[in-house]
Amino acid sequence: MTLPRQRGLTEQAADAAIDTACRMLRLPSIRNEFPDIADRAVKDQMTYRFLAELLMTECDDRARRRSERRIKAAGFPREKSLRTFDFDSNPNIDPATIHTLASCEWIKKGQPLCLIGDSGTGKSHMLIALGTEAAMKGYRVRYTLATKLVNELVEAADEKQLNKTIARYGRVDLLCIDELGYMELDRHGAELLFQVLTEREEKNSVAIASNESFGGWTKTFTDPRLCAAIVDRLTFNGTIIETGTDSYRLASTRARAEQPAKAG
């Protein structure tokens, strides 16, 4: 389909032509914003500058939608942001360190990140929030639970799809693995996970959250040599953040429960 071109279009015909052109060129933001911006341009006696404003609106909207698609593709189980993290309730986590990580330079370098601490200390919140920051900055991110990842790898191996699955996990810029260490993995599952980590080593980043210190990982990875190799993959040139043992989530729940009692 081509648009008729003629000089001296009436205002109504011009508006219709712009609407049709925006549909054809897939410029929904310009199509939606044009009437208001055009009215302001007339009032402010703007010339072609209003076109720059329209194009900037389209670019900003496209960037926002791309960011939303990357966040959705990451598979986060819930929304978490750095803005909503209560640093005052967990002094073990240094805000300056986290905001440095939010710049995503470590992802650009393919370095790992380990968040180690007890339940309720903010590991998963931080993992999801940093993963979200990465997606917003244009990186391809994938979130998964450790057990879910291992189960997927085992099924892929049974169906002769292991290489394809490992390659898929190898392509994302940041792989976020949550709840590593909650359950014991058999040797086969641990070896498959090791293959994923090896595929990504020094190329693409891995971020993990675990409730076990590295010394306790032998309960998850029962082969000592394999355990040592996995720890090496996840710590070499990486950042390790210990979130502590005191659950601020539990403390927050108790504080809320005490408020009605005090009021009474």
Side-chain angles (χ1 to χ4, degrees), residues 79-94:
E79 288 186 17
K80 294 292 181 182
S81 69
L82 296 181
R83 179 177 50 82
T84 60
F85 188 81
D86 188 357
F87 288 98
D88 292 334
S89 296
N90 193 338
N92 293 298
I93 300 178
D94 177 31

Side-chain angles (χ1 to χ4, degrees), residues 88-193:
D88 292 334
S89 296
N90 193 338
N92 293 298
I93 300 178
D94 177 31
T97 299
I98 298 304
H99 290 303
T100 298
L101 290 170
S103 72
C104 298
E105 191 66 22
W106 59 287
I107 300 174
K108 184 177 179 181
K109 296 177 180 177
Q111 296 172 340
L113 169 66
C114 296
L115 298 158
I116 309 293
D118 283 3
S119 296
T121 56
K123 303 184 306 299
S124 291
H125 186 139
M126 199 59 61
L127 185 69
I128 295 171
L130 288 172
T132 301
E133 288 289 326
M136 291 171 63
K137 286 180 170 61
Y139 292 99
R140 295 167 298 174
V141 182
R142 179 65 183 169
Y143 170 96
T144 183
L145 299 177
T147 50
K148 183 179 179 182
L149 173 58
V150 170
N151 288 338
E152 184 178 347
L153 293 170
V154 170
E155 290 177 7
D158 291 341
E159 296 170 2
K160 311 298 183 186
Q161 296 291 317
L162 182 60
N163 290 339
K164 183 178 179 181
T165 303
I166 290 176
R168 175 159 49 83
Y169 277 105
R171 281 193 297 268
V172 296
D173 301 305
L174 173 62
L175 176 60
C176 300
I177 305 176
D178 206 352
E179 297 186 1
L180 185 64
Y182 277 77
M183 294 182 65
E184 178 182 324
L185 301 177
D186 62 26
R187 182 179 178 85
H188 181 51
E191 288 175 343
L192 294 175
L193 177 59

Side-chain angles (χ1 to χ4, degrees), residues 227-243:
C227 180
I230 288 174
V231 171
D232 180 68
R233 294 289 190 279
L234 291 173
T235 57
F236 182 69
N237 282 336
T239 301
I240 301 171
I241 296 175
E242 295 183 357
T243 60

